[in-house]
Amino acid sequence: MRKTIVLAAFIATCTGALGQAANTPLTLEQCRKMALEHNKGVQISAAKVEAADALQKAAKAHYYPNISFTATYLRTNNELQLLSEDKMLPIGVKYGDGSFGPSLPKLNADGTISSESLNNKWTIINGTPAPLDKDGKPFNPKENPEKLDWKNYAFLPADQTRVEQKNYYIGMVSLIQPVYLGGKVREINKVAGYSKEVAVAKQKIDDADALYNVDEAYWRVVSLQAKVKLAQDFNNLITRLNSDVDDMFKEGVITRNDQLKVKVKVNEADLNLSKAEDGLQLSKMALCQQIGLPLDSEVILADQPTPKLASVVDTGYASYALGHRNEMVALDLANRMTESGVKLARSRFMPNVVLTANYLAANPNPYKGLTNDFGFDWNVGVVLNIPIFHWGERQHTLTAAKVEQKIASMKMEEAKEKITLQVNQAIFKVNEANRRVAMTQKNIDKAEENLKVASDGFKEGVLSASDVLEAQALWQSAISENIDARMEAMLSDSNLKKVLGELR
């Protein structure tokens, strides 16, 4: 029983703490921070930056050698045969000077040639045996070996050169190291670096958009809260008037028509209050979606719209914006990417040089008479590729890259004009909103005075209920316009920071 009581007390304490945390007023800065942490668009931008970073690292890998392993198994239908037909190979020896010829005869003691060792006809020249050619003349094997008349041959049957193997295995480890590719690797790495910087710039752009959307949702909730309060005050005001009118109608001071006019206004006030409360609830849902809270969360906002009301004087804001807007950063990087694109297209005209190294194993063994075992070997080499003619394909590609570079430059110039226009429009909206706040504040003072005069006149019987209704409507309209003006002033200030590149 005691454990149950303790557990219930703990749950009640936690529930109270959570309720208190849920009712903690949220400031605009807190909402901005929550939006950057939970906004899906911001998360997508961060993921794109991560992907661009991985691609940049992948581009750097082109500087290093590429190592791969290749294995092949091949099953043939027929066996390999090294000779297409039977061959007759002459029998001879290799001389001391490296030449090849018939075997030397043996000399008898009397200086004659032993006929038992002869393959060909021989003669003695200066005491040295010399073979005779087909014409019966001495010859030098280095100069005219084709005239040697061989007498003895070795028979090599073609069917004995068949490789009795139909299964072939080859394995190879290869290394390829680029040496010079016309600048491709360098430009590819530049493009990868620019792509990452573009992703970072676009992430900042998306952050600024998310922050502005949070500002808009935040101040809309604040303004609708004020309008709900205004609708409640107006409802109380018209309800008191309705009670006074009912008493005066009973006393016969006013007509039934005046009483009905007031009751119609009471119904309208109830309807407007309901609309304002529904609009406030929807606006809170929109804000919760922006900052990552459940849509049914009850949020309380701490900040109140406090416009600066000071006129903004242009002191080089356009130039400042051109130097700080992330859109200009992204366009500048895109322009650099097109420059690298031109260099990449031009590099296709340049020669390519790569180093290669391989270590391979083959079965049958090509280094040992194609026997049924593995033979191993390694090799190194240099590969040179020089483009010669490609029917103008590479030239057209280069032309297209140059056109893309011109397009990127024109986009930058267009963006500069648009940003300058945005800055001027933002300054105009700020000043206009501030003037509207000041004017609507004066209208509130006049409307309150008018309402007081109408109410006093109605009590004194000088003015009718219609006059009071009109004064109340003017009072409500003046306050409502002031609320809208304050929200517009706060949003115009956020918009100015956004177009200047300061909304971070």
Side-chain angles (χ1 to χ4, degrees):
M1 183 67 179
R2 180 177 298 175
K3 291 182 178 179
T4 304
I5 296 174
V6 172
L7 180 61
F10 176 75
I11 293 175
T13 303
C14 292
T15 305
L18 290 175
Q20 185 178 1
N23 293 327
T24 301
L26 292 174
T27 65
L28 179 59
E29 290 301 324
Q30 289 175 330
C31 290
R32 287 179 172 181
K33 183 178 179 181
M34 294 171 65
L36 294 180
E37 292 175 352
H38 299 92
N39 186 274
K40 300 300 181 184
V42 173
Q43 293 176 358
I44 291 173
S45 298
K48 289 181 178 180
V49 172
E50 185 178 356
D53 181 66
L55 291 176
Q56 184 184 27
K57 293 177 180 178
K60 290 182 179 179
H62 289 88
Y63 285 112
Y64 306 109
N66 186 3
I67 301 175
S68 61
F69 172 75
T70 303
T72 302
Y73 167 75
L74 184 65
R75 170 74 180 184
T76 62
N77 182 46
N78 296 320
E79 297 177 348
L80 292 179
Q81 183 172 300
L82 301 182
L83 296 179
S84 60
E85 58 185 10
D86 296 342
K87 298 293 182 181
M88 301 291 291
L89 299 181
I91 298 175
V93 296
K94 187 175 183 180
Y95 299 150
D97 59 1
S99 61
F100 181 81
S103 59
L104 296 176
K106 295 181 181 180
L107 294 178
N108 297 323
D110 57 358
T112 61
I113 300 175
S114 174
S115 59
E116 296 179 358
S117 62
L118 293 179
N119 290 332
N120 293 76
K121 295 179 180 180
W122 293 76
T123 186
I124 302 297
I125 299 177
N126 297 327
T128 303
L132 299 178
D133 60 14
K134 295 179 180 180
D135 299 332
K137 299 178 180 180
F139 77 102
N140 186 351
K142 295 182 180 179
E143 297 179 357
N144 52 358
E146 74 282 354
K147 291 185 178 181
L148 187 62
D149 188 16
W150 295 93
K151 298 301 181 181
N152 294 333
Y153 292 86
F155 177 65
L156 184 62
D159 59 356
Q160 296 300 315
T161 64
R162 182 178 294 114
V163 180
E164 297 179 356
Q165 178 66 275
K166 293 185 178 181
N167 298 312
Y168 296 88
Y169 307 89
I170 300 175
M172 182 171 60
V173 177
S174 301
L175 181 146
I176 300 177
Q177 172 62 58
V179 178
Y180 178 72
L181 299 180
K184 291 185 182 69
V185 177
R186 180 179 63 253
E187 296 305 323
I188 288 175
N189 275 270
K190 284 185 178 181
V191 171
Y194 295 150
S195 298
K196 179 182 177 181
E197 293 181 27
V198 168
V200 173
K202 289 186 176 180
Q203 182 187 21
K204 293 179 180 179
I205 294 172
D206 292 339
D207 289 351
D209 291 338
L211 293 176
Y212 181 78
N213 292 335
V214 169
D215 286 8
E216 185 178 18
Y218 188 94
W219 294 122
R220 181 178 290 111
V221 172
V222 171
S223 66
L224 286 175
Q225 284 178 341
K227 287 193 174 183
V228 168
K229 178 66 170 56
L230 174 63
Q232 292 172 345
D233 292 342
F234 182 78
N235 189 283
N236 295 333
L237 194 64
I238 197 71
T239 300
R240 287 197 299 269
L241 178 62
N242 181 56
S243 178
D244 293 340
V245 167
D246 287 342
D247 294 339
M248 297 177 71
F249 176 75
K250 292 178 182 178
E251 296 175 1
V253 178
I254 62 173
T255 64
R256 178 64 175 170
N257 184 39
D258 290 335
Q259 184 187 33
L260 292 176
K261 286 181 180 180
V262 174
K263 291 188 179 299
V264 169
K265 290 297 181 180
V266 170
N267 293 333
E268 289 181 359
D270 291 336
L271 181 60
N272 290 335
L273 176 59
S274 178
K275 288 181 177 179
E277 290 174 345
D278 292 342
L280 175 60
Q281 190 62 32
L282 291 175
S283 297
K284 286 184 177 181
M285 289 182 179
L287 177 61
C288 290
Q289 190 275 331
Q290 292 282 344
I291 62 179
L293 291 179
L295 297 183
D296 57 351
S297 300
E298 183 61 33
V299 294
I300 301 175
L301 306 184
D303 294 334
Q304 296 297 322
T306 54
K308 299 177 181 179
L309 301 181
S311 298
V312 177
V313 180
D314 189 355
T315 57
Y317 282 161
S319 299
Y320 179 86
L322 293 176
H324 291 79
R325 284 282 291 269
N326 288 294
E327 288 86 348
M328 292 303 302
V329 174
L331 288 172
D332 179 63
L333 292 169
N335 190 33
R336 295 184 187 181
M337 291 174 67
T338 57
E339 292 177 358
S340 293
V342 172
K343 294 179 181 178
L344 280 171
R346 190 177 290 118
S347 70
R348 301 180 67 201
F349 294 91
M350 308 299 290
N352 296 331
V353 181
V354 297
L355 296 177
T356 64
N358 304 284
Y359 186 81
L360 59 89
N363 186 350
N365 189 347
Y367 311 108
K368 194 177 179 181
L370 297 177
T371 55
N372 189 17
D373 60 355
F374 279 94
F376 301 90
D377 193 16
W378 59 269
N379 59 71
V380 295
V382 180
V383 179
L384 171 66
N385 176 270
I386 301 177
I388 297 178
F389 184 68
H390 294 86
W391 298 99
E393 179 264 338
R394 302 190 179 191
Q395 181 61 46
H396 295 317
T397 303
L398 177 60
T399 302
K402 291 180 179 179
V403 173
E404 290 294 333
Q405 185 180 7
K406 292 181 180 179
I407 293 174
S409 299
M410 288 187 288
K411 285 184 177 180
M412 279 198 67
E413 294 301 322
E414 183 184 23
K416 290 179 181 179
E417 295 175 358
K418 289 183 176 181
I419 288 176
T420 301
L421 180 61
Q422 285 179 354
V423 171
N424 291 328
Q425 289 176 339
I427 294 174
F428 177 80
K429 287 182 178 179
V430 169
N431 292 332
E432 182 183 24
N434 289 336
R435 287 194 298 268
R436 186 183 174 193
V437 171
M439 293 176 63
T440 54
Q441 187 61 49
K442 294 179 180 179
N443 290 339
I444 291 177
D445 296 337
K446 294 178 181 179
E448 289 178 347
E449 183 180 359
N450 180 55
L451 178 59
K452 183 176 183 305
V453 171
S455 299
D456 293 341
F458 176 72
K459 292 178 181 179
E460 295 173 359
V462 179
L463 299 177
S464 64
S466 298
D467 295 326
V468 178
L469 291 176
E470 182 180 357
Q472 290 176 344
L474 291 175
W475 172 80
Q476 183 188 31
S477 176
I479 295 179
S480 179
E481 289 180 357
N482 182 259
I483 294 172
D484 292 337
R486 287 178 176 273
M487 187 189 76
E488 183 181 351
M490 302 305 295
L491 286 179
S492 62
D493 184 67
S494 296
N495 182 60
L496 179 58
K497 291 180 180 179
K498 180 183 175 183
V499 299
L500 292 178
E502 294 182 344
L503 193 59
R504 304 187 181 94

